Amino acid sequence: MGDLLTNYLQQGVFLDKHDAIAILDTYNNIYHIVLDKKNYFAPLKSQAILDIFLEHEDTRMYINANSRLKYHLNGNIQDKITVSINKGNFKYLINFFYLHQHDIYLYCVDVLDDDCLYLDIVSQTSENLQKVKHYNEQKSLTNMLVILSKNSFFKYDIEKDHITFYKDFQMTKAYWELKVSDFYRYKLVEKDIDVFTDFINSMNAGEKNVFDFRLKFSEHKIPWISVLYDISYKNGSPVKAFGIIKDIDEEVKYKLKSERDLLTGCYNKMTAEDLITETLKKDLLKGTCYLLLIDIDNFKAINDNMGHAYGDLVLTTLANRLRGIFREVDVVARIGGDEFLVFLKNFKVEEVLIERLNKITEAFLNTYSDGIQKYQISGSIGVSSYPKDGDTFTTLYKKADAAMYHAKKQGKNQFAIYKNDMETAALELQITRFETIKRNSCQFIDIQLCFSIFEILYSSHNPNETILKVFGILGNLYNIDRCYVIALDWESDKFTHQYQWCQKGILESVLTEITITEVNSMVSLYDEKGIGIFTNTDNLPKDIAEIFQQDNIKSMLNCSIQKEGKISLIIGYDKCSTKTSWDTKTINTLVFLAKIIAIYLISKRINVLV
């Protein structure tokens, strides 16, 4: 019998909760009587061959042969069975169940009072079991052992410095044995090395504690485990530790899922605030702590122009970089769409803080491209410190926020450490920022339309029909008379219409070919982003106006696409009936969709775009 189980049953809570306990070990074909306060098991020896115990107990049971103990041992019962038996003037309640992962059965005996209900196996209804109220506590305890049967066990030999793992209570079935040094080499997750070291040091010092860490049982199995243990001594010094290993992987993952931002895996705002508040309350901080607020500059441009899916990819990438900069003990959280928080514990040297801040700015400074336009993001960081700037989360957050706005005001892509004069400046900046948002509130695109067009393009198997279908949708929605794609023929160096859609009554373009010189003259009137917006084509230079007059174009919106440094594609929208001012929302939406169409054509390698 293993020392851990013997001590647990004989000295723990079961001592006062059961009158007799025996363990039936089918693997070694023995039984072991752990406890017998009422002399129930007389005249059995405390340990012998299992068959002797089974025959002894079966003679006491007045139920049918199918309920004999040996029958249930062969069947490996999973649930607890309750049965009553007589012995002389006493009546007993037997709780008998199988610890299925270890081939161990527990046989727990309790004396029944005269007014208790007798139960047999065939009458174990939930209603009857509820009537045995006097024994509810005993049942709860035995059920607890069934749960514990899912655990593994270990023995740590302090002198030899190695750990042996077992599947059974008796610690007879060793399945893994390693030196402690091997754990550091092969079996530990790097971030859990410090916890494992504390675990070993505590056992060596004779200190009892509970530790949670991850262990690499195999290449694909790295669960979270919780270990608790007891110590055995020799001449006053610890020589061995016996412990239970509980698999808490599902529990930890569920907890992490509820505590963390689902996209990035960082803590969410509520959890971060709770962790920081608890840390500040415990008064365990031995050095200066810092609260960092990090806001991604220009992230909206990524979302608006490259899509939310790409924006999510950017966020997860930045979150991974952020976690790589800080320690396991630090709190890293995503507290908003494009805002992160970091709480650094016990930093004694400010130079180390500055080094971390510089790493953040480097990690966040990136340029992204949709193949047509480039977008640059960076990070603005505000910092407050404990205890100088406050001793509560709210105070530290408020001052870090003021410092962050100060960093933005100085030009973004930098950090600012809080000073007393920053809060007033931050308030002024927020007011200015709000007014800017109001002024620019009309500058957005029709997101729903863009998503719909995207789905149409990328779910179609016929690109030619799809382009015309998309143009038809846009033409009817925005009262456009002609939508088209003009592409460069790289061999002839001339532009021709590749796709063209016209409203009913509007003729197709008469311009079968356009020279590069003519295109360059027209593109020279576009803005720096390659977009041409013309409300009245009569106001254009004469040579260009004459070209448009051939197609009776009154107003026009064009978007040019470059390839290898040359204009290779122009997507255009013409109005031939009236002269029209293009509103900002329409412009943004049509330009964005032109880029989507261009990328689609390039990805499909259609016509001259190969």
Side-chain angles (χ1 to χ4, degrees):
M1 179 63 199
D3 293 338
L4 179 67
L5 183 60
T6 302
N7 291 337
Y8 184 75
L9 293 177
Q10 291 181 336
Q11 300 177 16
V13 292
F14 275 71
L15 181 65
D16 297 322
K17 302 305 179 184
H18 290 290
D19 295 311
I21 299 175
I23 292 177
L24 315 184
D25 183 354
T26 57
Y27 183 83
N28 294 298
N29 194 33
I30 62 172
Y31 71 89
H32 183 93
I33 297 174
V34 178
L35 184 68
D36 193 5
K37 295 188 290 186
K38 301 292 185 178
N39 205 28
Y40 171 84
F41 290 119
L44 290 174
K45 296 180 180 180
S46 61
Q47 182 171 313
I49 297 174
L50 181 58
D51 288 341
I52 296 175
F53 180 91
L54 299 176
E55 183 179 352
H56 182 271
E57 287 302 290
D58 278 340
T59 58
R60 295 175 170 177
M61 296 189 178
Y62 49 82
I63 50 184
N64 60 59
N66 286 337
S67 297
R68 299 174 74 85
L69 291 177
K70 195 166 187 177
Y71 171 84
H72 290 295
L73 291 179
N74 293 335
N76 287 345
I77 58 173
Q78 297 293 309
D79 299 321
K80 182 179 64 177
I81 284 183
T82 304
V83 60
S84 60
I85 66 172
N86 291 328
K87 181 190 175 188
N89 296 324
F90 295 95
K91 302 176 182 67
Y92 298 92
L93 187 70
I94 309 297
N95 286 309
F96 169 59
F97 52 91
Y98 175 54
L99 307 185
H100 58 88
Q101 291 190 351
H102 309 292
D103 289 337
I104 297 292
Y105 295 78
L106 280 187
Y107 196 89
C108 300
V109 183
D110 299 294
V111 178
L112 281 171
D113 294 333
D114 289 337
D115 58 348
C116 280
L117 178 70
Y118 289 95
L119 300 173
D120 61 25
I121 292 176
V122 296
S123 64
Q124 283 186 84
T125 66
S126 58
E127 180 180 354
N128 286 338
L129 288 174
Q130 289 296 324
K131 296 178 182 178
V132 195
K133 296 179 181 180
H134 184 71
Y135 295 96
N136 279 348
E137 192 171 19
Q138 286 92 321
K139 294 174 189 176
S140 297
L141 290 167
T142 51
N143 285 335
M144 184 176 69
L145 267 188
V146 174
I147 295 172
L148 287 175
S149 72
K150 298 179 180 179
N151 303 329
S152 297
F153 307 88
F154 73 91
K155 178 172 64 178
Y156 173 51
D157 190 317
I158 295 176
E159 295 178 348
K160 295 180 180 179
D161 202 30
H162 66 71
I163 299 177
T164 306
F165 294 86
Y166 303 88
K167 289 184 178 294
D168 62 319
F169 273 126
Q170 293 177 297
M171 297 188 180
T172 58
K173 304 174 188 178
Y175 68 91
W176 207 18
E177 184 172 344
L178 285 174
K179 293 181 180 179
V180 170
S181 58
D182 291 334
F183 281 89
Y184 287 101
R185 291 180 191 172
Y186 314 116
K187 298 299 178 183
L188 294 174
V189 175
E190 184 177 356
K191 291 185 177 181
D192 294 341
I193 288 176
D194 290 342
V195 178
F196 183 79
T197 301
D198 291 341
F199 165 54
I200 298 298
N201 291 341
S202 294
M203 290 190 292
N204 286 330
E207 300 172 353
K208 299 178 184 179
N209 213 325
V210 179
F211 295 91
D212 299 341
F213 52 87
R214 285 159 290 186
L215 204 57
K216 297 179 182 177
F217 284 95
S218 66
E219 182 180 353
H220 303 292
K221 185 180 179 183
I222 311 176
W224 278 93
I225 63 171
S226 181
V227 294
L228 61 154
Y229 55 87
D230 205 346
I231 305 287
S232 66
Y233 296 84
K234 184 178 181 180
N235 299 324
S237 299
V239 291
K240 286 185 174 64
F242 302 89
I244 295 175
I245 301 172
K246 182 181 179 183
D247 187 334
I248 59 170
D249 199 52
E250 290 186 8
E251 176 185 335
V252 170
K253 287 177 179 177
Y254 176 80
K255 183 180 179 183
L256 290 178
K257 187 175 180 180
S258 63
E259 291 180 343
R260 295 183 182 268
D261 169 57
L262 295 179
L263 175 64
T264 63
C266 298
Y267 286 116
N268 57 40
K269 184 176 181 179
M270 183 180 296
T271 303
E273 182 174 351
D274 289 344
L275 290 172
I276 296 168
T277 300
E278 188 66 21
T279 301
L280 294 172
K281 283 183 179 178
K282 285 182 178 179
D283 196 26
L284 299 175
L285 303 173
K286 300 175 182 178
T288 301
C289 299
Y290 296 97
L291 183 69
L292 281 57
L293 287 185
I294 309 164
D295 186 79
I296 305 176
D297 303 321
N298 306 321
F299 182 71
K300 186 177 183 299
I302 298 290
N303 263 349
D304 288 351
N305 295 288
M306 300 181 70
H308 288 275
Y310 197 89
D312 289 348
L313 177 61
V314 171
L315 287 172
T316 54
T317 301
L318 294 177
N320 289 333
R321 291 175 180 174
L322 201 58
R323 281 193 293 265
I325 293 171
F326 298 102
R327 306 162 298 177
E328 187 75 10
V329 296
D330 299 324
V331 176
V332 179
R334 180 187 175 212
I335 61 173
D338 58 356
E339 195 169 18
F340 291 87
L341 174 149
V342 180
F343 184 69
L344 308 179
K345 300 178 183 178
N346 299 328
F347 264 54
K348 297 180 180 180
V349 182
E350 188 171 295
E351 284 75 8
V352 178
L353 169 69
I354 302 300
E355 176 189 332
R356 296 288 196 281
L357 294 173
N358 284 325
K359 285 184 177 180
I360 296 173
T361 55
E362 291 172 6
F364 276 55
L365 184 60
N366 285 278
T367 299
Y368 300 92
S369 174
D370 58 7
I372 300 168
Q373 185 70 30
K374 292 182 179 180
Y375 308 96
Q376 188 174 70
I377 66 168
S378 57
S380 294
I381 310 168
V383 185
S384 61
S385 64
Y386 164 92
K388 181 176 73 70
D389 298 325
D391 57 2
T392 66
F393 174 84
T394 302
T395 304
L396 293 173
Y397 183 92
K398 181 180 178 182
K399 294 184 177 180
D401 191 51
M404 183 186 71
Y405 278 113
H406 181 81
K408 283 186 173 294
K409 188 177 181 180
Q410 300 306 307
K412 303 180 180 180
N413 189 33
Q414 55 185 291
F415 59 82
I417 299 175
Y418 176 78
K419 295 180 181 178
N420 291 332
D421 61 349
M422 287 183 177
E423 288 189 68
T424 302
L427 179 60
E428 293 174 354
L429 181 61
Q430 289 184 55
I431 294 172
T432 303
R433 184 168 176 262
F434 178 71
E435 292 300 324
T436 302
I437 291 173
K438 286 172 61 179
R439 287 196 301 271
N440 295 331
S441 61
C442 64
Q443 297 184 17
F444 58 94
I445 63 176
D446 189 330
I447 293 293
Q448 188 57 52
L449 174 63
C450 292
F451 274 122
S452 298
I453 296 299
F454 181 87
E455 289 177 0
I456 292 172
L457 288 170
Y458 286 90
S459 62
S460 170
H461 300 292
N462 190 324
N464 295 326
E465 289 182 2
T466 303
I467 295 296
L468 295 179
K469 179 180 179 180
V470 168
F471 280 158
I473 293 172
L474 298 180
N476 291 320
L477 184 62
Y478 290 105
N479 295 318
I480 299 170
D481 293 316
R482 187 186 294 119
C483 304
Y484 49 87
V485 176
I486 300 174
L488 173 65
D489 184 331
W490 292 80
E491 294 182 359
S492 65
D493 259 2
K494 292 183 179 180
F495 285 82
T496 59
H497 282 83
Q498 298 297 311
Y499 298 95
Q500 191 171 180
W501 173 92
C502 298
Q503 285 280 10
K504 186 177 181 179
I506 301 297
L507 299 176
E508 290 189 351
S509 174
V510 298
L511 302 172
T512 56
E513 290 185 343
I514 307 173
T515 67
I516 286 184
T517 302
E518 292 172 328
V519 168
N520 287 338
S521 297
M522 183 172 62
V523 171
S524 66
L525 303 175
Y526 293 180
D527 64 16
E528 69 278 1
K529 295 182 179 180
I531 300 169
I533 305 171
F534 308 104
T535 301
N536 185 354
T537 57
D538 293 337
N539 298 329
L540 294 173
K542 185 177 180 181
D543 57 334
I544 298 176
E546 289 175 352
I547 296 175
F548 295 149
Q549 287 169 4
Q550 296 179 58
D551 282 334
N552 195 32
I553 300 172
K554 307 296 184 182
S555 300
M556 182 175 61
L557 171 61
N558 282 353
C559 181
S560 63
I561 309 298
Q562 288 194 7
K563 183 180 180 181
E564 298 179 7
K566 296 172 66 175
I567 300 295
S568 63
L569 195 68
I570 293 176
I571 296 176
Y573 312 96
D574 295 345
K575 290 199 175 186
C576 303
S577 304
T578 59
K579 299 172 183 177
T580 303
S581 296
W582 303 82
D583 64 78
T584 305
K585 180 179 178 180
T586 299
I587 293 171
N588 288 344
T589 302
L590 291 176
V591 168
F592 183 73
L593 287 172
K595 293 179 180 180
I596 291 180
I597 293 169
I599 294 172
Y600 172 77
L601 293 173
I602 293 171
S603 68
K604 295 295 184 181
R605 303 180 66 83
I606 297 173
N607 296 336
V608 296
L609 298 176
V610 296

